[in-house]
Amino acid sequence: MLKKKKNSRFTRKEKLIYTLGAFSFVALFASEIFFGTQISNMKMNIEKINYQIESQEKKNESLTMQVNELTSYENVSTVIKELGLAYNNENIVVINK
């Protein structure tokens, strides 16, 4: 007896190509989701760091204003008078940054 050959719609190579294509599609979709979440997390971290930088810059500006107020001529002369010292312009050294 002879065995009958089954007529298949697709050959083995075609099945392999379709299977690899489907697998590639699923892998591409999964990697797009994974990397999309990674990018979103990175953007959130960048925004947090930018907020911290802005907050620190505001604090620095506030402290600079306080330093400028405390080192004004009026405050210095008041402290000098309270301590009983004399104000001498020749002893002042200006340092530029």
Side-chain angles (χ1 to χ4, degrees):
M1 269 198 153
L2 293 172
K3 290 186 181 180
K4 286 187 177 181
K5 248 186 176 180
K6 287 186 180 180
N7 286 340
S8 177
R9 292 175 103 183
F10 304 111
T11 65
R12 284 180 136 184
K13 290 181 182 179
E14 287 176 332
K15 286 181 185 178
L16 179 65
I17 289 172
Y18 292 139
T19 304
L20 289 175
F23 178 75
S24 298
F25 179 75
V26 170
L28 179 67
F29 185 70
S31 66
E32 186 174 329
I33 291 173
F34 174 75
F35 289 119
T37 57
Q38 292 294 322
I39 289 171
S40 295
N41 287 337
M42 193 172 294
K43 285 182 180 179
M44 284 177 36
N45 287 338
I46 289 171
E47 289 299 320
K48 285 179 185 178
I49 291 171
N50 283 338
Y51 175 76
Q52 291 173 350
I53 289 171
E54 289 174 6
S55 175
Q56 188 63 44
E57 285 175 346
K58 288 178 184 178
K59 286 179 186 177
N60 290 349
E61 186 176 324
S62 173
L63 291 172
T64 301
M65 289 173 60
Q66 287 180 1
V67 166
N68 288 339
E69 287 176 12
L70 291 173
T71 57
S72 68
Y73 176 77
E74 293 83 23
N75 285 337
V76 172
S77 63
T78 304
V79 171
I80 288 172
K81 287 179 184 175
E82 287 176 1
L83 295 175
L85 302 171
Y87 187 76
N88 186 354
N89 264 347
E90 295 173 7
N91 292 340
I92 296 176
V93 176
V94 177
I95 299 174
N96 294 326
K97 291 183 180 180

